[in-house]
């Protein structure tokens, strides 16, 4: 009965959500065109890649609150109705009805999954279908999983440190894949410009420049300075900078592995399988190899920069919920505030999820009372206080280091460019893989909230709520730029929740062959199976990725180091440009506007006076005007520019900075790169 009411309450809330979204929240006629007309002139020479999503953004933010709360309300109303009316209770408890609805739901899930995969074959993303394997592979995977399920009682008793060590080993091996010599790295620009955006800021920090004083980073305030500290202990070069990020990637997955082990045991084969599924989907190397783009695994802007604080905080929450000590309580706010400075995108989500967890925990203990209200207000007060203290601490650091106070407006500078104007955004498909994580987050959050109203909260319902909110929050990255390649980097909370669910599912039922008939005669089992099937598919896909692509990954890694290309045009170009900069260098107050700027700075042991990590971050005319003013000042003596047009050059920005200018002193600062 409860399963049917649970599903019904979610379906009713989805119907209401769709109706409200369609009639009230979707983009109004002419709204996007109006935003384009307003925003395009704000960009340097206009932009062709603006895709504002006002309606989609409203729908997403509305759904975060509406869907879980209304689903809970629907469930409580339906339960109350069935208790009051015997005929409703008999109807809901009818086993034939439950069997029928459960089987229909299972069929619908299969049809939906099939249509989602078919839709991916029609996607605009070139070759995205290559991330899937031949159907025969999935058949073998399902057979293997079936064998594991039937032998789960036996496997659950097998504990060995070998599983733990193997898991840690594959985390390390899959994480070091991006390490490659410079010459091989320069063989493909598809990822070098991504690395340039984080590398340029680290170069500036190494040379004594300060975040929010001398430069603005859209990916985080403090990570360039953490990298700076690391690179004080090792020679500063291309390889060691990569090693810094590789170490953070390893720690990110180790923290996630610890979260998995907290449920199913650190030495169990089940924890290892869930880890493999997690790595197979979230470790970029497997996605890159699936797309036949072996180099395209470098996107440090997300993994590890956006992941490390979240994965660490998951482990922290698991530790805190065990004891709920005052020390843990205070530490939570401090870590939350630091995460906001490390990366605001993830930090904001951690803040919201942490405060929600604390309020949920308070309400589970003191119900809806004046005492619980006071405690919830205390949580909010301490959250604000910790953020203020973190800002004050960094401000003091910046002032001592540079002699100037940081400009905190820089923390929000890119909101206008991406979130509002829609630069580089892409709309969500009507039917897509995003259904899987969204339904998982919704189901788990509703389940946890119902525990609050029914007095059945426990350690895991609290953690599930936190993980669901965190997962839904970081999903905003995919909501903005809705490509499958972006979904795979935000889906890891859903993978963890799937693993937790299946673990409980295996413990709840005895899957021995002699008891299959009894199992399938209980309609409650069918409801669990309805939820388990898509989760099994998701996890099996990740495990298949590891099995299929690990050996090619090893081969490619060896090729990176043993057989780097003898001649790479881009590497030669960087060397020529580096020689040109050395020959014409007059001072250390320089700026390079080109796609290879950071690599030229590295080779010439210079740093950029550009107040950003990369010239592409200068999108608005207001930014370009401020840059022009900076160049005209005594703070910049030379500007080296690539005037050759291509996708990633600074052609448009350079044109904006120089066309129509008559000040010869200003124009003489510009040098054309070969």
């Amino acid at each position: 009965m409860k399963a049917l009411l649970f599903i019904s309450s979610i379906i009713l809330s989805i119907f209401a959500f769709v109706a409200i979204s369609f009639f009230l929240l979707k983009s109004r006629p002419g709204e996007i065109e109006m935003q384009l007309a307003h925003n395009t002139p704000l960009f340097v020479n206009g932009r062709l890649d603006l895709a504002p999503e006002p309606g989609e953004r409203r729908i997403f933010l509305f759904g975060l609150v509406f869907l879980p709360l209304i689903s809970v309300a629907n469930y409580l109303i339906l339960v109350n109705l069935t208790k009051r009316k015997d005929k409703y209770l008999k109807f809901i408890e009818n086993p034939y009805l439950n069997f029928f609805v459960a089987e229909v739901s299972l069929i619908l899930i299969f049809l939906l999954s099939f249509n989602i995969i078919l839709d991916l074959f029609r996607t605009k993303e070139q070759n995205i279908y290559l991330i899937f394997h031949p159907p025969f592979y999935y058949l073998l995977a399902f057979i293997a999983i079936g064998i594991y399920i039937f032998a789960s009682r036996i496997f659950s008793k097998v504990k060995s440190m070998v599983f733990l060590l193997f898991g840690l080993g594959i985390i390390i091996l899959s994480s070091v894949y991006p390490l490659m010599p410079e010459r091989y790295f320069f063989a493909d620009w598809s990822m070098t410009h991504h690395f340039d955006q984080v590398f340029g800021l680290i170069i500036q920090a190494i040379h004594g420049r300060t975040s929010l004083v001398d430069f603005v980073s859209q990916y985080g305030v403090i990570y360039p300075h953490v990298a700076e500290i690391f690179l004080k202990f090792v020679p500063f070069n291309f390889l060691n900078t990569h090693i810094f990020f590789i170490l953070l990637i390893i720690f990110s997955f180790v923290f996630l592995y610890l979260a998995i082990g907290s449920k199913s045991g650190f030495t169990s084969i089940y924890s290892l399988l869930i880890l493999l599924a997690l790595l197979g989907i979230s470790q970029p190397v497997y996605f890159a190899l699936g797309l036949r783009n072996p180099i395209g695994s470098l996107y440090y802007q997300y993994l590890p920069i956006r992941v490390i604080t979240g994965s660490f905080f998951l482990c922290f929450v698991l530790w805190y919920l065990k004891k709920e000590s005052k020390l843990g309580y205070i530490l939570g706010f401090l870590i939350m505030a630091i995460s906001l400075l490390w990366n605001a995108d993830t930090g904001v989500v951690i803040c919201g999820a942490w405060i929600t967890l604390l309020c949920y925990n308070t309400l589970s203990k003191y119900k809806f009372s004046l005492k619980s209200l006071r405690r919830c207000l205390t949580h909010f007060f301490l959250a604000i206080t910790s953020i203020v203290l973190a800002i004050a601490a960094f401000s003091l650091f910046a002032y001592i280091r540079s002699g100037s106070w940081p400009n905190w407006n820089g923390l929000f500078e890119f909101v206008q460019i991406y979130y509002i104007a829609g630069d580089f955004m892409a709309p969500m498909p009507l039917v897509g893989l995003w259904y899987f994580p969204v339904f998982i987050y919704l189901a788990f959050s509703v389940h946890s909230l119902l525990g609050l109203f029914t007095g059945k909260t426990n350690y895991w319902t609290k953690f599930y709520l936190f993980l669901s909110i965190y997962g839904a929050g970081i999903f905003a990255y995919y909501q903005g730029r809705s490509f499958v390649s972006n979904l795979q980097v935000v889906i890891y909370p859903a993978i963890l929740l799937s693993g937790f669910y299946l673990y409980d599912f295996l413990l709840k039922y005895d899957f021995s062959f002699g008891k299959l008939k009894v199992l399938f005669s209980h309609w409650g089992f069918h409801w669990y199976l309805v939820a388990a099937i898509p989760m099994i598919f998701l996890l099996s896909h990740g495990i298949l990725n590891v099995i299929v692509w690990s050996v090619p990954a090893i081969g490619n890694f060896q090729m990176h180091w043993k057989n780097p290309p003898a001649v790479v045009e881009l590497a030669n170009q960087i060397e020529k440009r580096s020689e040109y900069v050395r020959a014409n260098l007059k001072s250390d107050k320089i700026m390079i506007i080109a796609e290879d700027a950071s690599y030229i700075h590295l080779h010439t042991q210079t740093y950029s006076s550009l107040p950003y990590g990369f010239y592409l971050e200068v999108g608005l005319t207001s930014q370009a005007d401020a840059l022009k003013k900076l160049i005209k000042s005594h703070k910049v003596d030379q500007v080296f520019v690539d005037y050759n047009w291509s996708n990633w050059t600074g052609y448009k920005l350079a044109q904006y900075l120089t066309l129509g200018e008559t000040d010869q002193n200003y124009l003489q600062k510009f040098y054309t790169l070969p």
Side-chain angles (χ1 to χ4, degrees):
M1 180 190 79
K2 290 182 179 179
L4 180 58
L5 293 180
F6 184 82
I7 296 295
S8 300
S9 64
I10 289 179
I11 292 174
L12 288 172
S13 69
I14 290 174
F15 276 122
F17 170 72
V18 170
I20 294 171
S21 299
F22 181 80
F23 290 107
L24 299 177
L25 300 177
K26 72 173 184 175
S27 296
R28 295 178 287 274
E31 183 180 13
I32 293 177
E33 291 76 11
M34 183 175 64
Q35 288 201 11
L36 284 171
H38 173 74
N39 291 320
T40 301
L42 300 178
F43 284 80
V44 178
N45 288 349
R47 295 298 288 265
L48 300 176
D49 44 21
L50 295 185
E53 304 169 341
E56 186 177 294
R57 185 172 64 247
R58 285 193 297 265
I59 291 170
F60 172 70
L61 295 175
F62 174 68
L64 286 178
V65 178
F66 179 87
L67 283 170
L69 293 182
I70 298 302
S71 296
V72 170
N74 288 340
Y75 181 85
L76 295 176
I77 291 171
L78 290 174
V79 168
N80 188 49
L81 284 175
T82 55
K83 286 181 178 179
R84 288 188 176 185
K85 299 286 186 178
D86 289 339
K87 61 178 181 179
Y88 292 154
L89 183 61
K90 290 179 180 178
F91 178 75
I92 292 296
E93 289 183 336
N94 188 305
Y96 297 104
L97 173 68
N98 278 270
F99 274 124
F100 174 76
V101 177
E103 297 309 318
V104 169
S105 300
L106 197 57
I107 293 170
L108 290 176
I109 286 174
F110 273 115
L111 291 174
L112 179 62
S113 302
F114 183 72
N115 277 287
I116 287 173
I117 295 172
L118 280 183
D119 187 66
L120 283 172
F121 279 79
R122 299 188 293 266
T123 183
K124 295 179 181 178
E125 295 182 73
Q126 187 180 14
N127 293 336
I128 205 70
Y129 60 88
L130 293 173
I131 66 173
F132 292 100
H133 305 284
F136 181 66
Y137 285 22
Y138 289 103
L139 176 62
L140 292 178
F142 268 84
I143 292 173
I145 290 172
I147 293 172
Y148 177 87
I149 289 173
F150 285 116
S152 58
R153 298 283 175 175
I154 298 173
F155 283 122
S156 65
K157 297 175 183 178
V158 180
K159 307 285 184 180
S160 174
M161 285 296 294
V162 173
F163 299 137
L164 175 62
L165 294 175
F166 183 81
L168 294 174
I170 197 167
I171 287 174
I172 295 171
L173 291 175
S174 61
S175 297
V176 301
Y177 178 84
L179 290 178
M180 62 186 74
E182 278 188 79
R183 181 167 289 275
Y184 199 96
F185 178 76
F186 291 136
D188 188 343
W189 272 125
S190 67
M191 284 296 115
T192 49
H193 72 277
H194 284 151
F195 182 59
D196 206 3
Q197 294 178 59
V198 297
F199 191 33
L201 297 176
I202 293 173
I203 292 175
Q204 292 196 45
I206 287 285
H207 285 86
R209 287 165 66 82
T210 307
S211 184
L212 294 181
V213 175
D214 301 302
F215 61 81
V216 175
S217 168
Q218 63 173 306
Y219 303 116
V221 174
I222 62 176
Y223 86 83
H225 297 296
V226 176
E228 175 193 358
I229 294 171
F230 173 82
L231 293 167
K232 293 290 185 183
F233 296 96
V234 295
F236 173 50
N237 54 40
F238 172 86
L239 186 62
N240 285 334
T241 306
H242 278 283
I243 289 175
F244 167 73
F245 287 110
I246 296 302
L247 289 174
L248 293 183
I249 292 173
I250 291 172
F251 283 125
S252 296
F253 282 110
V254 168
F255 290 140
L256 294 175
Y257 195 14
L258 291 174
I260 295 169
S262 66
K263 178 76 172 182
S264 48
F266 299 105
T267 58
S268 71
I269 190 172
Y270 183 83
S271 294
L272 176 61
L273 290 173
I274 301 304
L275 172 69
L276 295 180
L278 176 69
L279 292 172
I281 294 174
S282 297
Q283 189 67 291
V285 54
Y286 295 114
F287 194 86
L289 289 169
L291 293 178
R292 315 303 194 266
N293 183 19
I295 298 177
S297 61
L298 288 177
Y299 196 69
Y300 295 145
Q301 288 91 327
Y302 204 92
L303 179 68
I305 291 178
R306 284 183 173 97
V307 176
I308 181 68
T309 50
S311 61
F312 173 74
F313 208 85
L314 293 182
C315 286
F316 168 79
V317 168
L318 286 166
W319 171 79
Y320 168 75
L321 289 174
K322 285 183 179 179
K323 296 182 179 179
E324 298 187 17
S325 64
K326 289 185 178 180
L327 174 62
Y329 180 72
I330 299 300
L331 278 177
F333 287 109
L334 294 178
I335 299 169
M336 174 204 76
I338 293 171
S339 71
L340 192 63
L341 296 186
W342 174 268
N343 175 262
D345 294 341
T346 304
V348 167
V349 177
I350 290 174
C351 289
W354 174 242
I355 295 170
T356 304
L357 171 65
L358 293 176
C359 292
Y360 176 88
N361 200 20
T362 298
L363 292 172
S364 68
K365 294 176 180 177
Y366 306 108
K367 306 304 179 185
F368 294 89
S369 62
L370 189 59
K371 185 175 183 178
S372 63
L373 176 61
R374 285 197 301 267
R375 295 224 169 184
C376 288
L377 291 175
T378 301
H379 303 328
F380 279 98
F381 173 76
L382 289 176
I384 295 170
T385 301
S386 62
I387 293 171
V388 170
L389 287 174
I391 290 173
F394 182 82
S395 298
L396 183 61
F397 158 79
Y399 183 78
I400 293 171
R401 178 182 170 97
S402 67
S404 300
W405 295 105
N407 178 12
W408 287 97
N409 290 328
L411 199 61
F412 311 100
E413 184 170 335
F414 293 97
V415 173
Q416 167 68 21
I417 298 175
Y418 299 106
Y419 201 61
I420 305 300
D423 192 23
F424 282 104
M425 296 296 102
M428 292 175 65
L430 185 62
V431 177
L433 282 174
W434 61 269
Y435 281 16
F436 290 112
V438 166
F439 281 124
I440 288 171
Y441 299 144
L442 178 58
F444 271 91
S445 60
V446 171
H447 176 263
S448 294
L449 289 173
L450 285 174
L452 181 64
F453 286 95
T454 57
K456 296 180 180 179
T457 60
N458 56 45
Y459 177 85
W460 286 108
T461 58
K462 295 173 185 178
F463 181 68
Y464 292 160
L465 179 69
F466 176 86
L467 190 52
S468 300
I469 294 172
Y470 173 75
I474 64 172
F475 183 84
Y477 181 78
Y478 171 76
Q479 180 268 308
R481 188 161 168 77
S482 305
F483 292 116
V484 175
S485 54
N486 290 333
L487 180 62
Q488 60 101 17
V489 296
V490 301
I491 202 173
Y492 62 92
I495 298 171
L496 294 182
L497 288 169
S498 297
F500 294 154
Y501 176 87
L502 292 175
Y503 181 75
D504 289 334
F505 179 53
L506 294 176
L507 287 181
K508 185 177 180 67
Y509 294 103
D510 184 355
F511 288 91
S512 57
F513 284 102
K515 296 187 178 180
L516 278 182
K517 186 175 180 181
V518 177
L519 268 183
F520 280 92
S521 65
H522 290 289
W523 48 263
F525 171 76
H526 289 253
W527 282 117
Y528 276 94
L529 195 62
V530 166
I533 292 296
M535 292 181 182
I536 290 173
F537 172 78
L538 182 67
L539 297 178
S540 65
H541 176 70
I543 295 172
L544 273 176
N545 285 345
V546 174
I547 295 172
V548 172
W549 294 117
S550 287
V551 173
I554 294 171
N556 281 325
F557 185 78
Q558 290 177 331
M559 181 179 66
H560 294 167
W561 289 96
K562 290 184 177 180
N563 302 304
V567 178
V568 178
E569 181 182 348
L570 295 172
N572 293 338
Q573 172 185 291
I574 291 170
E575 189 55 44
K576 288 179 182 178
R577 290 181 171 183
S578 298
E579 291 176 4
Y580 178 82
V581 170
R582 289 191 200 98
N584 292 277
L585 194 64
K586 295 179 180 179
S587 75
D588 59 354
K589 301 175 183 178
I590 71 169
M591 190 181 295
I592 300 176
I593 300 177
E595 65 269 32
D596 46 9
S598 294
Y599 313 111
I600 297 171
H601 282 300
L602 178 67
H603 286 197
T604 57
Q605 296 183 345
T606 59
Y607 63 91
S608 179
S609 296
L610 184 73
Y612 302 97
F614 196 46
Y615 76 89
L616 274 179
E617 295 174 341
V618 184
L620 299 174
T621 54
S622 58
Q623 292 176 298
D625 289 338
L627 188 59
K628 183 183 290 188
K629 185 178 179 180
L630 177 66
I631 296 171
K632 288 184 175 182
S633 73
H634 67 279
K635 296 181 179 180
V636 178
D637 293 332
Q638 295 173 282
V639 182
F640 297 90
V641 178
D642 176 9
Y643 283 102
N644 297 315
W645 189 91
S646 73
N647 281 336
W648 303 114
T649 60
Y651 170 75
K652 289 185 178 181
L653 176 60
Q655 270 196 331
Y656 185 89
L657 293 174
T658 56
L659 284 180
E661 275 293 335
T662 57
D663 185 346
Q664 292 303 311
N665 291 328
Y666 172 76
L667 293 174
Q668 286 175 3
K669 292 186 177 184
F670 287 81
Y671 294 74
T672 302
L673 289 168

